[in-house]
Amino acid sequence: MLGEAEPQWLSEEVKTGTTIIAIEFNGGVVLGSDSRVSAGESVVNRVMNKLSPLHDKIYCALSGSAADAQTIAEMVNYQLDVHSMEIGEDPQVRSAATLVKNISYKYKEELSAHLIVAGWDRKEGGQVFATLKGLLTRQPFAVGGSGSSYVYGFVDAEYRKGMGKKECQQFVINTLSLAMNRDGSSGGVAYLVTIDEHGTEENVILGNDLPTFFDQ
């Protein structure tokens, strides 16, 4: 009707208010994310895949403004393709993370996004890098997004050096399930990407197949 105020969510920035995580294992990495996208207090997308490929064996997990995060990922994907053709081989994970870091720092006043970069290369194997406003640090695991504040204690307590591929996949699933239960901006399904020297494996765990815990 004419004269009626438009819904608040139409003027809100679309954000991947989210939970993202990546962890190294001996020979590769596992990335995971939920799928809920919100604008203000409204859910505008329930099944967005926030794990974006940057190259064949390099992915990033997106959080923050959906438009900003996707733009950074697309820019880095293009630059890595060019870089790969110039050197005649697959790029290193650190190169991808450095590109993300440089863009994030150069446009830190204009962009609102946090990307975790993870992947496998022949030189260093599986690697996880946190990039935030120009920061670049390699970590054995990294979490981000609005849901991360609910699970820091869990990941600190449950992480063990030397975990295998299956253990890391379950670690990621458990972390996402706990965060999605507590955080109103996280939910939907869980996306998983496992990367090693043999290739990339993508999985989707439906909400009713996620593990349940004490208060669920």
Side-chain angles (χ1 to χ4, degrees), residues 12-159:
E12 292 279 356
E13 182 177 22
V14 176
K15 293 191 174 183
T16 57
T18 184
T19 304
I20 54 175
I21 180 171
I23 181 172
E24 297 179 4
F25 64 88
N26 185 21
V29 295
V30 180
L31 299 92
S33 80
D34 73 311
S35 65
R36 181 173 292 176
V37 181
S38 56
E41 297 178 358
S42 302
V43 176
V44 296
N45 191 340
R46 295 184 296 172
V47 288
M48 175 184 171
N49 188 352
K50 303 171 190 175
L51 305 179
S52 180
L54 299 179
H55 206 263
D56 294 344
K57 295 180 181 178
I58 307 174
Y59 272 64
C60 65
L62 313 176
S63 67
S65 166
D68 292 351
Q70 288 174 322
T71 298
I72 294 174
E74 289 172 3
M75 290 171 67
V76 173
N77 176 249
Y78 169 75
Q79 292 181 31
L80 280 181
D81 282 343
V82 174
H83 176 60
S84 178
M85 287 187 289
E86 288 176 344
I87 64 176
E89 60 183 24
D90 289 342
Q92 295 181 24
V93 181
R94 184 177 289 274
S95 298
T98 301
L99 287 171
V100 171
K101 182 260 297 185
N102 289 343
I103 294 171
S104 299
Y105 182 73
K106 183 177 181 179
Y107 300 103
K108 61 182 182 294
E109 300 298 333
E110 293 84 11
L111 300 178
S112 174
H114 173 215
L115 277 65
I116 296 173
V117 179
W120 181 94
D121 62 46
R122 289 185 297 171
K123 184 175 181 181
E124 296 286 343
Q127 301 150 74
V128 172
F129 290 92
T131 65
L132 181 62
K133 299 294 184 183
L135 172 73
L136 180 64
T137 56
R138 181 177 175 181
Q139 301 174 216
F141 69 90
V143 291
S146 58
S148 64
S149 58
Y150 296 94
V151 293
Y152 271 111
F154 172 79
V155 295
D156 286 342
E158 293 296 315
Y159 172 77

Side-chain angles (χ1 to χ4, degrees), residues 178-210:
L178 285 165
M180 289 159 69
N181 181 50
R182 293 288 186 182
D183 179 31
S185 295
S186 300
V189 303
Y191 289 102
L192 253 68
V193 172
T194 305
I195 307 171
D196 58 23
E197 63 177 320
H198 304 296
T200 301
E201 175 189 345
E202 299 185 5
N203 299 102
V204 180
I205 297 91
L206 301 181
N208 55 359
D209 293 330
L210 290 169

